[in-house]
Structures are given as structure tokens and as C-alpha cells.
Amino acid sequence: MPNNVSTFTRGGVHPDDKKQLSNRKPIEKLPLPSEVVVSLSQHLGAPAKALKAKGDTVVKGEKIGTAAGFISAEVHSPVTGTIKDIRKVTLANSVCCDAYVIEVDKDAPEPQWEQHDWKSESREDLLATIKDLGIVGMGGATFPAHVKFSIPKGKKAEYLVANGVECEPYLTSDHRTMLERAEGALEGLMVIAKVIEAEHVIVGVEVNKMDAIEHLEAVIKEKGYPIKVQPLKLKYPQGDEKQLLKATIGREIPSGKLPLDIGAVVANIGTCYAVYEACVFHKPLIERVVCVSGECIAEPKNVLAPVGTKISDLVQFCGGFIEDPYKTISGGPMMGFAFSDPDTPIQKGTSGILAIPLFDDSETTACISCGRCVRACPIGLMPTMLYRNIMHGNYEAAMNKYSLMDCKECGSCAFVCPAHIPLVHAMKLGKKLGRKKK
Ligand code: SF4
Ligand code: SF4
């Protein structure tokens, strides 16, 4: 164990990480599926505007949707084929939007991605490439990268922190990316550092990935990059920007503020790799590493799959289910989205697909005022008081007196509650109804 391990100070929990199911599985490329479903909403913000029509042929890497607002991103075809249909789909996060159904031409030649010298390009040109090639945050938040990397006048990005934490149980796609694609991810990180003019560059990684920490350090040394790897204690939700920045640079984001307000920009390690592919090869974000795991999956794997792949194709590639899952989840078990339709497509932000059995059927009992939820909350909220106020319809008190809107919905409070009170569901409901009442 390294002696410079750090972490955030307030709250947090440590669930059984279950990463052994897939952390030693090298990334495997999914054989081309016969059909992909590419939604026009691959990112946070306004869905992209369709550029193609039913019956059109598309080439892998071709732009098929264009940003329809300031917070929006370009969408490219992940395959060569024919657009069979444009229809509404419901994504794993319950968002309903238009999507292209593309019949894949499996015999089409692969496009050639020519190498470019990003070092000779200006910051503005690199940012334009990141925008044009549809790069979004790949840790799950899917915030358009070009917006995040545009530093407004008067602000300064003193620190660039790469997020290699991967603190959610089961997930291992970032871990495998750091082991197998470290050269690219670190080069992408250097591109971002140039774009935002960062003074210090840090990669934060939890110590259950010591092999990744050692490998990143070896590559950094070999390339002579001015990047520091910061080992972090195991603690959920350290992958959240607020906790990550406290753990790596010791600064706290005040309520309602952004990382840039404390001089920092955070980029997921997968996003760094996508920036590398965009700026070095002019390759758009059309595929990603997805961790397919959980006790119900026959052979958990880390799979490189085209955006728009149906989850059923991924599960089949991993040998199918060995038992009927109690829950299928897109993302991690703490903050991911439960879904039921196996034909739901993956998106640019899909880090994992989990199929898990029922592990706890305890019934909810009354709150015993033990205070464990308060101690676990990384934001310093009082989940028990929030719950009481939400359940009594006192949304105003929950929002104004107990800062409901600061809740990250991380699930730490529910995880430790001995009364099995569905605290996170209450927070989500309270936010929704509270906003409506405003
Ligand atoms: S879900 Fe919200 S209230 Fe509960 S621990 Fe996380 S941030 Fe705190
Ligand atoms: S952890 Fe559960 S039982 Fe304990 S105070 Fe919080 S809500 Fe009540």
C-alpha cells in the first residue's frame, strides 16, 4: 500500500466492491451486431437534430445528428449500414427520444483513421475537434466535453483531475482502460491540459486498482508527462466530483457551485481516451468499453461495443443469464438506472450493464434515530430529517432548511440505514415534487 493515500473527509461508505467478477478480464471487442439503435439523446442537454432520413445509407464515423443547443453534442454513426427506421426509444434512464435503427453492413470496409499531430494545433482547434467529434463525459453524466473544457473569461483551471476512481461496486471498465489503454488516455489528458491551460494534472485512482496505479506511473515516467497519480482510499462516492476534488486537491466545492469555481476541471479516464482518439485520429465517439457483470451473467466481461448496441446483444456475448436477475441495471448498483427492456441500447455514457440477484429482502421498519445516515452523508445533510419532511409533504422545509437540492442521490444513507428506509427514493421524489410546487 502506498503511503500517500488520501480520501475525502466527510461521510462515505464502503460497499463490497464485487470487482473480482470482471477486473481480470481483458477488453474484448464485440462482433458486429446485425442492428444498432442510436438515440439522438446521447448526452446531457438538448437531443441532437437528425441529419438523416429513413432509407439513407450511413458510413461508420459519419455525422448523423447535430447539436441542437448550447448544452448538446454531435452524434455519429457507429457502423456502416442502412437506416431502417427512426423511432421513439426509452433509454435506461427512462428518457424517451428519437433513435435511428441502423441495419449493419457487416462486410463494409473499416474506415482508415489518419494520424494527426495535435501538438502543432491551437487550443481553439483542438476544442473544435472535441466538439465536432461528439465527445461527452463517459463516467455517466454525459455532459458535453467542449462546454466543460471552454473556460469562461475570468476563470482559471488551475487543476485538471482525471477521474479513475470507479468507486461503484462491480464496474471495471475504467480499470481495464487504465491497464490496456493507458498511453492513449494519458495523451488525451495532455490534450485536455493544453486546451484548458491547466497548471497541475492529477489522476485519482482507488487503491483496489494498484496494478493500474503502477502502470499509469510507469507510462507517465516513460513519456515524461507532468502528471501525478494520486492513490485514494476505498470509499464511495469518491467518484463524485465534489468528493474527488476534496480527496485529490483538498478543496471543497461550495453548495450550488461548480469545480471551476474552485479552479478545477474533472474528466473521466474514458473521456480522456475518447479525446485522444478524436484529436490524434479524428475518430468520433462511436464505441466504448462497457463492463457487463453481476452474479446472474454467465461470463462477466469488459466489452468494447458500438454505441447503440442492444443490451441483449451484450448479454448474449457474455453467455447469457445463469439465473433470472432480480434487477438489471445500467451503470453501477448505487447510482445506476434499473431497466426492464433487454433491447434498450447502450449510450456514450453507459459504463456498465449489471444483472444481479436479490441480496436483501429485509422489510422497512421505523426510523430508530440512530444517526448512521447523517454520518454517512458525504454532503453533510440530515437524510433522516429530509425523509420526515418529504413524507409529510413539507417540501419547502426539505429544500430550504435541510438543503435537499444539494443531495447527490448517492445512496450512502440508504446503504447504512438499519431500518431499510428507502431514503434515496424519498430524496428523488422530494426533489421532483418540490420543483413542481415552486
Ligand atoms: S443520497 Fe443524498 S442524503 Fe443520502 S447520503 Fe447521498 S447525498 Fe446524502
Ligand atoms: S439510518 Fe435509518 S434508522 Fe438511522 S436515523 Fe437514519 S433513517 Fe433513521
Side-chain angles (χ1 to χ4, degrees), residues 366-374 383-384 387-388 413 416-421 423:
C367 172
I368 54 168
S369 298
C370 65
R372 285 190 208 176
C373 56
V374 180
T384 173
Y387 181 76
R388 272 180 220 173
C413 50
V416 295
C417 177
H420 303 284
I421 295 171
L423 293 164

Side-chain angles (χ1 to χ4, degrees), residues 6 16 67 76 93 111 127 161 167 183 216 251 260 271-272 284 305 312 340 368 379 388:
S6 64
D16 178 6
H76 302 76
N93 59 3
L127 193 62
V161 180
C167 60
E183 285 81 357
L216 289 171
R251 292 185 186 175
L260 203 49
T271 314
C272 296
S312 51
S340 56
I368 54 168
I379 310 296
R388 272 180 220 173

Side-chain angles (χ1 to χ4, degrees), residues 18 42 117 147 166 174 210 251 259 270 326 329 371 429 433:
K18 312 217 180 200
Q42 292 285 342
D117 174 24
V147 182
E166 202 160 48
D174 286 349
M210 277 312 297
R251 292 185 186 175
Y326 166 70
I329 303 168
L429 184 77
L433 297 178

